[in-house]
Amino acid sequence: MVSHQGAVATAPSLLNFFLQALGQLTTLTHLTLVLHSRLDSGELTRLSSLTALQSLSFAGSPSAGFPPQAFHALRQLTSLELEDLGWGKPHPQLTAAHLSACTALRRLCLPSTTQQVQLQLPGPGPGAFQHLEELEVALGLNDQHAASWRVLPMLPCLRRLRVEFVSGELSAVLRECLPACPRLASLQLSHYTEPVLPGLPSTLTSLTL
């Protein structure tokens, strides 16, 4: 199904047709794209023509990771959900540089099945995340970019945070940074295995462990 309000693509034949037509859907505001095969970087760059896009939900596995320019034209994007289905090697990384132009972004979600998508938060300032209200990330056993989470108190609009598989260095960073988050109201720490709870901000109204 393809429409100006949203599009869903799952069957291989429909996927091929949809990817060819992507560049013409310039009025599209909501897109859900599910790919059951690897996608090359050239195909992902077709997203750059969807300049009216406000919400993007992508499930798939880029064969060479996310190209740096894939999201640069999506300046109206307010919600982004990325799910790695595990076929890409090496597993894709998402960094602040990928989203540097998405200054309207309010929701970023890397759900529990995306443990191989590695998020590297910006530093030293919030950059594209200056309006981010909701952040959901599954980290798996990856502590590689734990130090970058020190930027959390610099996200002035962050109200909801969900982090899965908190352990090791990330746990120590969160203990230090969470109390300084100025507007955090909802916190969910799934599969939290540390013996000591992190410090909690005084603004918190909802906690799930």
Side-chain angles (χ1 to χ4, degrees):
M1 177 181 67
V2 177
S3 74
H4 290 300
Q5 290 300 315
V8 178
T10 52
S13 58
L14 180 58
L15 282 177
N16 292 333
F17 168 80
F18 182 80
L19 291 173
Q20 292 174 4
L22 260 182
Q24 303 176 21
L25 300 178
T26 56
T27 59
L28 201 68
T29 58
H30 296 78
L31 172 62
T32 296
L33 186 57
V34 181
L35 303 177
H36 294 286
S37 59
R38 280 187 287 186
L39 189 68
D40 65 38
S41 298
E43 291 171 320
L44 265 180
T45 57
R46 295 178 184 177
L47 294 174
S48 63
S49 64
L50 306 180
T51 55
L53 206 61
Q54 298 174 17
S55 175
L56 171 62
S57 178
F58 172 83
S61 186
S63 59
F66 298 107
Q69 70 277 24
F71 308 107
H72 280 191
L74 308 183
R75 299 181 182 274
Q76 299 189 53
L77 196 68
T78 60
S79 177
L80 176 61
E81 182 171 346
L82 298 176
E83 180 174 354
D84 176 29
L85 298 182
W87 296 302
K89 293 182 179 180
H91 295 295
Q93 291 192 9
L94 182 72
T95 70
H98 288 93
L99 304 176
S100 60
C102 302
T103 55
L105 196 65
R106 285 170 169 75
R107 176 178 179 267
L108 176 61
C109 181
L110 309 180
S112 58
T113 53
T114 66
Q115 297 172 26
Q116 302 302 332
V117 175
Q118 300 176 11
L119 175 69
Q120 184 175 357
L121 289 172
F129 296 159
Q130 59 187 321
H131 299 299
L132 195 68
E133 299 176 359
E134 181 178 346
L135 177 61
E136 179 177 336
V137 183
L139 292 176
L141 300 177
N142 175 43
D143 269 349
Q144 181 179 358
H145 302 303
S148 68
W149 284 73
R150 297 184 188 279
V151 77
L152 284 177
M154 302 179 191
L155 305 181
C157 298
L158 188 66
R159 298 182 58 84
R160 183 178 182 272
L161 175 64
R162 178 183 178 185
V163 187
E164 298 206 11
F165 303 99
V166 178
S167 61
E169 183 181 352
L170 176 60
S171 176
V173 171
L174 290 180
R175 282 200 301 271
E176 175 185 338
C177 295
L178 285 178
C181 293
R183 299 184 63 185
L184 190 65
S186 176
L187 175 64
Q188 184 170 348
L189 301 176
S190 299
H191 302 92
Y192 187 82
T193 59
E194 297 298 302
V196 179
L197 281 176
L200 301 176
S202 59
T203 54
L204 202 66
T205 58
S206 175
L207 175 64
T208 303
L209 298 173

